[in-house]
Amino acid sequence: MRFEEFSFGSIRIDGVTYEHDVVIDQGEVCKRRKKASKKFRDASGHTPLSVEENIPWQCRRLVVGTGTYGALPVMQEVRAEVKRRKIEFLVLPTAEAIEVLKRKPDGTNAILHLTC
């Protein structure tokens, strides 16, 4: 998987440009479906990552890119589920998360927030 470009609101992976948050599940890239998490928006002022979403749990490592400025909240229930499943968990601003994915892609799934 080649991460070719990232800027606020846009990422290019393997020659395809995405202008929405993405989920990387075993090398497949798809749109992050955050509708299930929208009900938690009022509590944090931002739609957080919640266990209500389709999180790609089948991995040894889960990387969450929290946006250009690290503003994506990750709910405590997600953190608890990661511990329960004994998955390595990295929560980083998206540019840093991409660097981790470039260095250690094997067994790693990701959720990348592309804006704030």
Side-chain angles (χ1 to χ4, degrees), residues 51-105:
V51 293
E52 305 278 328
E53 291 183 41
N54 188 14
I55 296 175
W57 296 116
Q58 301 302 313
C59 58
R60 293 188 305 266
R61 180 184 313 108
L62 180 61
V63 176
V64 175
T66 57
T68 301
Y69 308 110
L72 176 71
V74 177
M75 294 185 71
Q76 190 58 41
E77 293 82 358
V78 173
R79 296 175 189 277
E81 185 63 16
V82 165
K83 284 183 183 180
R84 187 186 76 73
R85 291 174 181 258
K86 298 178 180 162
I87 297 171
E88 181 182 351
F89 189 50
L90 299 173
V91 178
L92 304 163
T94 299
E96 293 176 38
I98 291 167
E99 290 306 313
V100 168
L101 291 167
K102 286 178 179 179
R103 287 191 314 267
K104 299 181 188 179

Side-chain angles (χ1 to χ4, degrees), residues 22-40:
V22 296
V23 174
I24 299 170
D25 187 356
Q26 299 176 19
E28 297 293 321
V29 181
C30 63
K31 183 176 182 176
R32 174 182 170 218
R33 306 280 180 207
K34 58 187 176 181
K35 183 177 180 181
S37 294
K38 286 191 184 257
K39 62 186 167 191
F40 304 112

